Amino acid sequence: MADTTITEEKKSEVSHEEHHEELSFLRKYIFSTDHKMIGIQYTITGGLFLFFGFGLMMLMRWSLAYPDQPLPILGFLVGNNGIMTPDTYNTFGAMHGTIMVFMGVVPLAFGAFGNFVLPLQIGAVDMAFPKINAFSYWCLFVGGVIMLASFFLPEGAAKSGWTSYAPLADIDIGLGQTFWLVGMIFLITSSLMGSINFIVTAIQLRAPGMTYMRLPFFVWTQLVTAVLLLLAFPPLEAAGLLQLMDRVAGTSFFLPTGLVISGEVADISGGGSPLLWQHLFWFLAHPEVYVLILPAMGIVTEVITNNARKPVFGYKLMVYSLIFLGFMSFSVWAHHMFMTGMGTTLNAFFQTTTMIISVPSVIILSCLFLTLWGGSIRFNTPMLFALGFLPMFGIGGLTGLPLGLSASDIHLHDTLYVIGHFHYVVAPGTLFGLFAGIYYWFPKVSGRLMNETLGKLHFWGTLIFMNLVFFPMLIQGMAGINRRLHDGGASYADATAIIDPGFYSHAANYLYLNKWMSMSAWALGLVQIIFLVNLLWSIKKGKKVGRNPWNATTVEWAAPSPPGHGNFESAVEVYNGPYEYSVPGAAKDFSPQFEKGAST
Amino acid sequence: MAENLEELDQHIRACIAIFVALLCLTVITVAVSYLNLPVPATITLALCVALVKGSLVVSYFMHLVSEKKLILWSLSLTVIFFIILMVLPVVTDLDVISHTITVKH
Amino acid sequence: MSTIEIPYVSKPRPDTGLVNAKLGIWLFLASEVMLFGGLFSAYVLLRIGAEIWPEGVSILNVPLATLNTVVLISSSITMVMAWASLVRRDINKYRFYNYITIACGLIFLVVKYFEYSAKLHHGLFPSESTFLAIYFTLTGLHVLHVIGGMLVLAYLQFIGSKMWNTDPARFTGRVECAGLFWHLVDLVWIFLFPTLYLM
């Protein structure tokens, strides 16, 4: 038990740091080292990238619904008289994936929420390394600028998919892919530094009394996420360096002997292995999937227990499942590579580990459902999003099972089914968690509540339209439509019909869904305007609230809203577990961690 | 590490002894490579010597022998993932579908 | 807005027995291990997949690399001595040993420069073969680490050592962390040397 308090530390230790009362605008808002300001910077940056990536997708959906027709009004964005060429489509596709995963969701889920909430929840004054924290943010910023700059290159940005599979990415002309690699190295460095900071903070700066088993589940998810980032990202950095060497120094790490490009044998030394890239890439990218989903699970747990007014069901079980999940996520990656000619023994191995890893996620999801049982549930906006997360993530997870079994994967791989599955996990899954978090912690950030009516409108619109976008993908995928076609499968379906006109052309029968999906995607975009309006309006005009508007138990609600520099007015001590709601015999229906004797 | 100076002296003496050992091992591994042994033997020997040298550096220069449990735990996790990273890709390279099926029309 | 004090920067936290920086540097080293792990994994996969793999001796200069191994090992022991001098509260001795460490780093870089330029003079570019490609990538990344380590050591030598007067415990901790990184650079070389030159 740590009984050393902050006040015991010597004054002289910080004497080299500045003592002046007011920091300049630049130090306070731009090059801040305060974890809350950095968290807000991450939120704004990640949010802008999310909307940018979504914008790319809305443009792509035009090409999918109305292939080779000029884009109305916004035609100047795609050039070529407003008709989207397959090349432009590929560029947008690759950048949509990259931006959403590495520059949108990770900075938001990990950088933003982790930075703002984690130190508050453990009762710390700041992150363990505030300067490194600022450095991580600025690495992300530079990486983002490099990625965005690549759109203005003569040959355009990277267009080999967000996975940058070799040898395609190796031989791609222009500087786009090189920019992508350099940008990725910055993004990876940012995440690495961030994850070290998070782990050290969560372990070293816990307030007195905050034992590991009293950590809120959100802190646990951030901790496991940080470990995944720390140990899984470096191999991708290595792979990025190798691909950079291939592109810049002319090496052949990923180029096999006798590679033929455009009908000619390439002038390379050869001897490389395209599969090497896939191994190193998926060694990161499978844990990365959990990096995307775990913080959302943490947020959802906080919101659900708070609004069900019940302790979370099976806290320890959830924590152990989480740790097991994190551990297992390092040995499943080759289920992304079933179709690469891997032998059956290994296919069996990886499909077994894949099935095993689904167990802890199911346990966590079940625990959350059971938390709802018998609770007196408050249906406010954060709770709606958290409740929406449960079935949506459920669909996402269950549709993953056929992909994890190597036999059914033969049929489903590289179809829109994969896209549907993945987006169910990340869009209505993770994003719902993030929305829940934004509505839930907004009072802590600004001291004001967000508008409930607009929030509910936003929730229902998002829920309906997201399902209308992603569910048809599962249907189209099962019909066999490939995921990478710029015309949404039209030419492919027509060709089948030309060969055998009387034949039932399965893909052709589901092409009409493209228009519906596109309309829904654009409607989804419109619904997000409600959210933006709500956010901006609430910052200035929202209802003012005190420190603990949700009557919650975790430590962040002990700080003023918004918390000042150093977070808490006096040192925090923790007396009980994180979710002591409706304790029998207690005076109120919530017994905060930071109040002594609250649970007796 | 090194609560008192006596312990520190002991540690330094150990480090100097290890320094000498590292130099000797370097000479040995280079000498062995000139013997022109068969390739598998060369690889095994070179890797074994490197492993010994590496563990000496980690244990004493980086004084992991007397390090806190928390660090040992996080490093053992790293070692496990490192081994997975080294072994699994190689195994997938050895187990490949190699026969082709000919379809008769 | 007053300056906040982050706990456990110079005194260890009682239940973990660690200062923040110590845990942080070890986590960083863990990620470094995975970084080089990725490259070593690439090496193994490429070598297994190759029809012929040249012996390092036939292409690379083993005596020079042996010299470099000795230089790096020596710099490691001087690094240990530098840290031990600080524990004994002798800043001058620390400065002396730290100078030698940095000098060893410089010697390593000079030797490496001669090795590289000899290769490039003979037309042995990374694009010539997978062996040369992995050789240049691995040693190049290692050289970057040597340079990074030297910058840190130089910072501690000239600017960072002001902290000795205000907070000696924290400064000793910093030197220890820099030392850990420097030993890792040595460790990586210990594995690079046989893998590339001797097998």
Side-chain angles (χ1 to χ4, degrees):
Chain A
M1 185 75 61
D3 49 9
T4 320
T5 53
I6 302 145
T7 42
E8 279 177 33
E9 299 289 315
K10 279 178 292 178
K11 268 266 177 289
S12 61
E13 283 165 9
V14 283
S15 60
H16 62 286
E17 284 173 28
E18 54 286 300
H19 271 291
H20 50 96
E21 283 293 296
E22 272 301 322
L23 292 168
S24 64
F25 175 83
L26 211 62
R27 286 293 311 277
K28 192 172 172 189
Y29 295 107
I30 311 294
F31 297 108
S32 173
T33 55
D34 187 309
H35 75 98
K36 296 179 294 296
M37 187 47 70
I38 294 173
I40 291 168
Q41 288 174 334
Y42 266 115
T43 315
I44 295 170
T45 316
L48 286 178
F49 277 131
L50 267 189
F51 278 101
F52 183 71
F54 186 45
L56 289 180
M57 181 32 81
M58 288 198 281
L59 291 176
M60 287 163 75
R61 287 258 37 129
W62 173 267
S63 177
L64 289 169
Y66 305 99
D68 304 323
Q69 290 178 37
L71 187 73
I73 310 164
L74 296 171
F76 65 93
L77 288 174
V78 296
N80 191 29
N81 298 326
I83 298 170
M84 192 180 280
T85 58
D87 256 3
T88 316
Y89 179 86
N90 286 343
T91 304
F92 282 14
M95 294 312 281
H96 165 78
T98 309
I99 288 172
M100 286 304 209
V101 171
F102 295 109
M103 292 142 76
V105 176
V106 172
L108 255 187
F110 184 67
F113 281 103
N115 254 310
F116 196 95
V117 179
L118 183 135
L120 284 169
Q121 276 198 333
I122 60 172
V125 288
D126 203 320
M127 284 297 214
F129 309 114
K131 282 179 190 152
I132 292 181
N133 202 12
F135 175 74
S136 323
Y137 170 74
W138 286 102
C139 269
L140 167 81
F141 187 83
V142 172
V145 167
I146 292 173
M147 290 283 188
L148 288 185
S150 68
F151 277 99
F152 298 99
L153 292 168
E155 289 93 354
K159 44 184 160 301
S160 312
W162 79 283
T163 53
S164 285
Y165 274 177
L168 181 65
D170 263 23
I171 58 172
D172 185 23
I173 46 163
L175 281 172
Q177 185 64 24
T178 311
F179 269 57
W180 187 92
L181 290 166
V182 175
M184 279 306 289
I185 287 173
F186 275 97
L187 298 181
I188 291 169
T189 312
S190 159
S191 296
L192 274 181
M193 292 297 144
S195 58
I196 292 173
N197 219 335
F198 278 41
I199 298 172
V200 175
T201 308
I203 288 175
Q204 290 282 96
L205 299 194
R206 283 169 291 129
M210 181 64 94
T211 57
Y212 286 112
M213 280 302 149
R214 282 181 183 172
L215 287 176
F217 191 65
F218 176 77
V219 176
W220 269 112
T221 56
Q222 290 286 337
L223 189 60
V224 173
T225 306
V227 173
L228 296 186
L229 283 176
L230 181 77
L231 297 179
F233 248 140
L236 181 66
E237 194 156 21
L241 284 174
L242 295 181
Q243 200 174 83
L244 204 61
M245 287 291 283
D246 273 5
R247 291 185 61 84
V248 177
T251 57
S252 306
F253 287 114
F254 305 124
L255 300 175
T257 313
L259 180 72
V260 176
I261 303 166
S262 316
E264 279 175 48
V265 178
D267 179 27
I268 47 163
S269 72
S273 158
L275 279 186
L276 174 62
W277 170 265
Q278 294 198 19
H279 278 301
L280 293 177
F281 181 84
W282 287 116
F283 186 84
L284 155 87
H286 198 80
E288 175 79 15
V289 176
Y290 292 96
V291 169
L292 302 177
I293 196 71
L294 291 181
M297 274 184 183
I299 295 169
V300 165
T301 309
E302 298 293 313
V303 174
I304 283 187
T305 43
N306 174 255
N307 289 304
R309 315 304 294 165
K310 265 186 69 190
V312 69
F313 183 92
Y315 170 79
K316 278 190 180 171
L317 185 63
M318 284 176 76
V319 171
Y320 295 141
S321 304
L322 181 71
I323 295 171
F324 181 67
L325 183 83
F327 185 80
M328 282 303 289
S329 69
F330 280 89
S331 52
V332 296
W333 79 84
H335 66 209
H336 296 273
M337 299 164 63
F338 281 149
M339 303 303 291
T340 56
M342 227 165 39
T344 43
T345 321
L346 272 157
N347 272 0
F349 171 78
F350 281 109
Q351 84 180 24
T352 311
T353 52
T354 306
M355 292 304 120
I356 291 173
I357 204 176
S358 61
V359 175
S361 340
V362 171
I363 291 177
I364 294 176
L365 211 58
S366 308
C367 285
L368 290 175
F369 272 116
L370 285 167
T371 306
L372 295 172
W373 181 289
S376 46
I377 301 172
R378 300 187 304 208
F379 288 100
N380 44 33
T381 315
M383 186 60 169
L384 287 178
F385 273 106
L387 289 176
F389 170 89
L390 299 178
M392 293 298 111
F393 177 67
I395 295 177
L398 289 175
T399 49
L401 292 181
L403 292 170
L405 294 166
S406 58
S408 44
D409 188 59
I410 294 172
H411 176 61
L412 293 172
H413 92 282
D414 225 13
T415 64
L416 279 165
Y417 183 89
V418 181
I419 308 288
H421 151 69
F422 181 71
H423 281 82
Y424 257 107
V425 174
V426 179
T430 302
L431 285 186
F432 271 29
L434 297 182
F435 278 132
I438 290 173
Y439 283 102
Y440 184 65
W441 278 303
F442 187 80
K444 189 47 61 189
V445 180
S446 67
R448 291 165 192 275
L449 280 175
M450 283 177 79
N451 185 294
E452 275 291 306
T453 321
L454 288 178
K456 279 178 182 149
L457 214 60
H458 174 221
F459 168 71
W460 287 109
T462 310
L463 181 74
I464 291 165
F465 290 120
M466 272 208 184
N467 278 293
L468 286 179
V469 177
F470 297 122
F471 204 83
M473 284 186 186
L474 299 174
I475 299 169
Q476 284 193 330
M478 291 217 238
I481 299 182
N482 185 283
R483 61 189 272 197
R484 297 182 199 273
L485 304 171
H486 84 289
D487 56 4
S491 55
Y492 163 60
D494 285 348
T496 322
I498 290 166
I499 295 165
D500 189 354
F503 191 72
Y504 167 70
S505 161
H506 56 205
N509 297 34
Y510 295 97
L511 283 181
Y512 73 96
L513 287 171
N514 276 335
K515 285 199 179 65
W516 286 103
M517 285 150 75
S518 294
M519 305 274 187
S520 307
W522 299 325
L524 183 63
L526 289 179
V527 171
Q528 302 317 307
I529 294 175
I530 304 176
F531 171 71
L532 282 182
V533 169
N534 191 356
L535 195 72
L536 295 175
W537 182 84
S538 303
I539 291 175
K540 284 270 174 246
K541 298 271 167 77
K543 191 181 145 210
K544 274 198 176 178
V545 285
R547 345 189 130 202
N548 196 353
W550 308 112
N551 290 341
T553 51
T554 41
V555 177
E556 77 266 35
W557 305 104
S561 312
H565 198 52
N567 295 345
F568 303 95
E569 288 112 331
S570 55
V572 185
E573 250 188 270
V574 173
Y575 303 98
N576 43 40
Y579 305 113
E580 309 256 325
Y581 287 102
S582 307
V583 179
K588 356 174 228 193
D589 77 334
F590 65 108
S591 314
Q593 285 187 289
F594 47 86
E595 283 179 17
K596 195 171 187 176
S599 63
T600 48
Chain B
M1 183 62 236
E3 301 297 314
N4 51 50
L5 291 181
E6 210 169 293
E7 243 177 70
L8 183 74
D9 284 337
Q10 236 174 3
H11 177 69
I12 296 300
R13 272 198 297 276
C15 280
I16 291 172
I18 280 165
F19 170 63
V20 176
L22 287 175
L23 290 184
C24 296
L25 285 169
T26 309
V27 173
I28 291 173
T29 188
V30 174
V32 164
S33 77
Y34 282 103
L35 290 180
N36 281 328
L37 293 173
V39 175
T42 319
I43 293 178
T44 321
L45 263 174
L47 277 186
C48 285
V49 173
L51 266 178
V52 173
K53 283 167 78 180
S55 42
L56 284 177
V57 169
V58 173
S59 322
Y60 289 93
F61 285 5
M62 299 164 96
H63 40 79
L64 209 60
V65 277
S66 53
E67 202 43 271
K68 300 287 175 296
K69 261 197 197 135
L70 186 66
I71 284 174
L72 294 179
W73 273 105
S74 43
L75 286 181
S76 41
L77 194 68
T78 314
V79 168
I80 294 172
F81 292 150
F82 181 84
I83 291 171
I84 292 177
L85 178 63
M86 295 309 260
V87 172
L88 278 187
V90 175
V91 179
T92 52
D93 203 60
L94 297 178
D95 180 25
V96 285
I97 297 170
S98 48
H99 17 247
T100 43
I101 302 163
T102 41
V103 183
K104 281 177 192 158
H105 288 285
Chain C
M1 201 177 274
S2 61
T3 312
I4 52 162
E5 290 173 32
I6 293 172
Y8 314 122
V9 284
S10 56
K11 252 196 288 176
R13 181 182 164 106
D15 58 351
T16 57
L18 292 167
V19 292
N20 297 343
K22 186 79 168 285
L23 182 58
I25 192 76
W26 271 111
L27 292 172
F28 179 67
L29 296 189
S31 81
E32 290 280 338
V33 167
M34 293 306 280
L35 173 66
F36 281 99
L39 291 176
F40 275 110
S41 181
Y43 169 88
V44 175
L45 210 66
L46 289 175
R47 183 164 184 170
I48 287 181
E51 278 158 26
I52 38 158
W53 191 263
E55 260 185 87
V57 195
S58 58
I59 298 178
L60 305 173
N61 191 331
V62 177
L64 273 186
T66 313
L67 172 66
N68 256 349
T69 313
V70 173
V71 168
L72 266 195
I73 294 174
S74 313
S75 78
S76 263
I77 189 80
T78 56
M79 189 71 233
V80 172
M81 300 305 274
W83 166 74
S85 314
L86 276 188
V87 179
R88 293 202 182 98
R89 312 205 153 247
D90 190 342
I91 182 86
N92 290 325
K93 252 196 172 155
Y94 155 76
R95 290 219 166 93
F96 168 71
Y97 282 121
N98 206 30
Y99 262 131
I100 301 185
T101 316
I102 297 173
C104 283
L106 267 180
I107 296 173
F108 181 90
L109 289 183
V110 170
V111 172
K112 205 76 222 164
Y113 168 77
F114 282 117
E115 249 193 287
Y116 276 167
S117 51
K119 293 284 155 306
L120 298 179
H121 265 291
H122 292 101
L124 295 171
F125 294 103
S127 53
E128 281 303 306
S129 73
T130 327
F131 173 77
L132 280 167
I134 195 88
Y135 162 76
F136 274 104
T137 313
L138 271 170
T139 53
L141 191 65
H142 180 256
V143 161
L144 285 182
H145 278 76
V146 172
I147 295 172
M150 281 169 63
L151 288 178
V152 173
L153 293 183
Y155 169 82
L156 290 174
Q157 176 93 3
F158 299 113
I159 307 163
S161 62
K162 278 178 204 149
M163 193 191 266
W164 178 252
N165 302 319
T166 55
D167 190 354
R170 190 174 177 191
F171 182 65
T172 312
R174 283 197 170 176
V175 170
E176 192 186 351
C177 290
L180 286 175
F181 179 76
W182 192 255
H183 294 315
L184 180 95
V185 172
D186 185 15
L187 184 70
V188 170
W189 181 257
I190 283 178
F191 283 94
L192 274 185
F193 173 55
T195 339
L196 292 174
Y197 290 82
L198 305 179
M199 312 186 341

